[in-house]
Amino acid sequence: MSEIREIHVPDIGDFKDLPVIEVLVKPGDKVAFDDPLLTLESDKASMDVPSPGAGTVVSVIIKEGDRVSKGSSILTLQMAADEAPAIQSAVAVSEVSIKDSPASAPVVAKPVAPVAPAVNASGVKPHASPSVRSYARKLGVDVSKVAATGKGGRMLREDVERFVKDALVRLDSPAPRGDQSAGLNLLPWPDVDFAKFGTVEKFALSRIKKISGANLSRNWVMIPHVTNNEEADITELEAFRVQLNKEGGKDAIKYTMLAFLIKAAVASLKAFPQFNSSLGSEDGEPILILKQYYHIGFAADTPNGLVVPVIRDADQKGIGQIATECGELARKARDGKLGPADMTGGTFTVSSLGGIGGTGFTPIINAPEVAILGVTRAQIRPVWDGNGFAPRLILPLALSWDHRVVDGAASARFLQHLAALLADFRRITL
């Protein structure tokens, strides 16, 4: 035996005349006790109305856009005769529970931002509770694209997690031949027969370029880059560097501008520690990891492409030792003899094109670092000193930084600090 009972909106506190933003069941659906039937929304919260018993939906009385209050009819439910009498007591208990213990209330209200229900490709609004929608928003997931596996097409938290995992797998999978979209749903890379237009030659990419190309693509796409530019007056510093090299003789240390840049970068990182950090996660939440060591990478040009060897503990080394290690690592790089230990653990990178030329460029951040300094060739320029123009050696600086960690004000101050150190290297002792 079974009975058909009319189900009403239970006690929802002081809320009245709330709009129905989603009806979660249809005639013929089977529901269990506490399954959500519809979703209401106030100006402060969204809430699911649960089923007070198990059974089969016979008819749905309300529709999306209707307004309801306590006692409004929702639907009719066919259920076993022995369970039907339990509805009234269940509702009564629920009403007491709401007043006495909000945690046990059958109607759970959760603050959310009012948003229009998403619509999937077939034009059907996905059935997802406010909590699932909120969880999806935190992960940046469009619920209209998630396949729901719950009863009656209900979207579960596990469905959102599965969607994210599948997306990560697609990103991590190697792109097929001719596809450079990296799983980002971009237009396919144009597959052109260039020989149709003239004579061509084909060369295999070097191993270094294959590896660095994949890393650079990931870093450029995944990191929100911003680049600030500054100029440093290195007139006195360059004169000092030349003097040191003249005094040293043939077999002495060869002081390079790169060594001074690395030392100045370390001092700037100490003044602005967020630039000596990396993003990480703990218990599923993003965290910032501030490093208490200063391992500075530098871009080394080799016949097979750029590599980034690392000067470890640069804060504990003098200019001469840094210059010597840079020379040794650059030679190992050109000879293809760098080991993994020579290229890992970096906290900040300096990429200098000063020996080649240029007036500026946008360096790509070397993940998991959060910033990189780019340097081009210094040039003599006339600079006003208050009385007249004087020739000064000006070094262009470009700082690319991760906008998830750093902001524009901090990056501008970092560059100003660095430029001041290069202009008067005595400040490095302060």
Side-chain angles (χ1 to χ4, degrees):
M1 294 291 294
S2 63
E3 292 187 22
I4 297 178
R5 301 297 299 263
E6 188 171 279
I7 308 303
H8 304 89
V9 175
D11 189 350
I12 51 177
D14 295 329
F15 296 107
K16 294 181 181 179
D17 200 29
L18 292 183
V20 177
I21 64 171
E22 192 171 6
V23 178
L24 306 174
V25 294
K26 61 183 182 300
D29 285 352
K30 294 185 180 298
V31 296
F33 171 75
D34 213 32
D35 278 356
L37 303 176
L38 70 158
T39 302
L40 309 178
E41 185 173 69
S42 72
D43 58 345
K44 296 181 179 179
S46 292
M47 62 190 76
D48 280 347
V49 174
S51 174
T56 302
V57 177
V58 177
S59 64
V60 178
I61 299 171
I62 51 90
K63 63 182 182 301
E64 291 182 13
D66 288 350
R67 291 182 173 271
V68 298
S69 302
K70 175 185 176 183
S72 298
S73 297
I74 300 175
L75 50 80
T76 55
L77 190 67
Q78 185 176 27
M79 57 180 57
D82 58 348
E83 184 164 351
I87 291 183
Q88 295 300 327
S89 60
V91 172
V93 171
S94 298
E95 292 175 358
V96 174
S97 300
I98 292 172
K99 296 173 184 177
D100 297 342
S101 177
S104 61
V107 180
V108 181
K110 298 185 179 181
V112 296
V115 294
V119 179
N120 61 25
S122 63
V124 179
K125 295 177 181 178
H127 290 179
S129 68
S131 61
V132 172
R133 291 180 183 275
S134 176
Y135 181 61
R137 282 196 296 272
K138 288 180 181 179
L139 297 179
V141 172
D142 182 353
V143 293
S144 68
K145 298 180 180 179
V146 179
T149 62
K151 183 180 295 186
R154 186 71 170 167
M155 188 179 300
L156 307 176
R157 184 184 179 100
E158 291 78 8
D159 296 329
V160 177
E161 292 173 347
R162 187 181 304 107
F163 178 87
V164 173
K165 289 178 181 178
D166 290 344
L168 291 174
V169 169
R170 290 194 298 270
L171 283 173
D172 195 44
S173 299
R177 182 181 179 273
D179 178 12
Q180 304 296 322
S181 64
L184 297 177
N185 200 27
L186 303 177
L187 289 174
W189 193 261
D191 192 2
V192 180
D193 181 7
F194 297 102
K196 293 191 306 183
F197 309 106
T199 304
V200 299
E201 290 184 88
K202 296 182 180 180
F203 299 92
L205 287 176
S206 68
R207 179 175 175 274
I208 289 177
K209 287 186 177 179
K210 287 180 181 178
I211 295 173
S212 63
N215 287 331
L216 291 170
S217 296
R218 177 203 60 198
N219 297 349
W220 183 250
V221 170
M222 302 299 290
I223 300 173
H225 281 66
V226 182
T227 303
N228 281 36
N229 298 98
E230 184 59 272
E231 294 180 339
D233 186 336
I234 60 168
T235 308
E236 279 75 24
L237 179 58
E238 175 63 8
F240 179 54
R241 185 188 72 83
V242 172
Q243 179 184 343
L244 287 176
N245 285 333
K246 286 181 178 178
E247 292 175 351
K250 181 180 179 181
D251 298 324
I253 296 171
K254 182 181 179 180
Y255 290 91
T256 62
M257 185 55 66
L258 176 61
F260 287 95
L261 284 168
I262 290 175
K263 197 64 177 177
V266 169
S268 299
L269 293 172
K270 287 185 175 181
F272 300 89
Q274 68 266 45
F275 289 87
N276 199 56
S277 68
S278 287
L279 282 171
S281 63
E282 192 171 88
D283 298 328
E285 293 295 325
I287 60 172
L288 187 65
I289 303 170
L290 294 177
K291 300 161 190 175
Q292 306 302 316
Y293 52 89
Y294 301 87
H295 301 340
I296 310 300
F298 66 94
D301 190 18
T302 76
N304 293 318
L306 289 175
V307 293
V308 184
V310 176
I311 302 292
R312 310 187 83 80
D313 299 315
D315 59 315
Q316 302 173 26
K317 296 171 181 175
I319 303 293
Q321 188 175 357
I322 292 175
T324 300
E325 287 192 24
C326 283
E328 293 172 350
L329 287 170
R331 281 191 293 273
K332 288 178 67 176
R334 287 191 295 270
D335 295 339
K337 295 181 179 178
L338 287 174
D342 296 321
M343 297 184 288
T344 56
T347 62
F348 184 83
T349 297
V350 177
S351 180
S352 176
L353 298 177
I356 302 173
T359 59
F361 68 107
T362 301
I364 298 177
I365 297 168
N366 189 21
E369 300 166 19
V370 299
I372 180 172
L373 178 68
V375 182
T376 50
R377 177 178 290 174
Q379 296 181 341
I380 295 291
R381 294 182 188 171
V383 177
W384 182 259
D385 63 6
N387 298 311
F389 286 99
R392 306 295 294 179
L393 185 61
I394 305 300
L395 180 68
L397 305 173
L399 181 72
S400 290
W401 40 277
D402 187 336
H403 211 331
R404 297 172 299 178
V405 177
V406 182
D407 58 34
S411 60
R413 294 188 181 100
F414 180 96
L415 275 180
Q416 288 179 344
H417 186 86
L418 178 64
L421 292 176
L422 296 172
D424 186 352
F425 216 72
R426 294 173 298 178
R427 296 174 179 270
I428 207 80
T429 62
L430 299 178

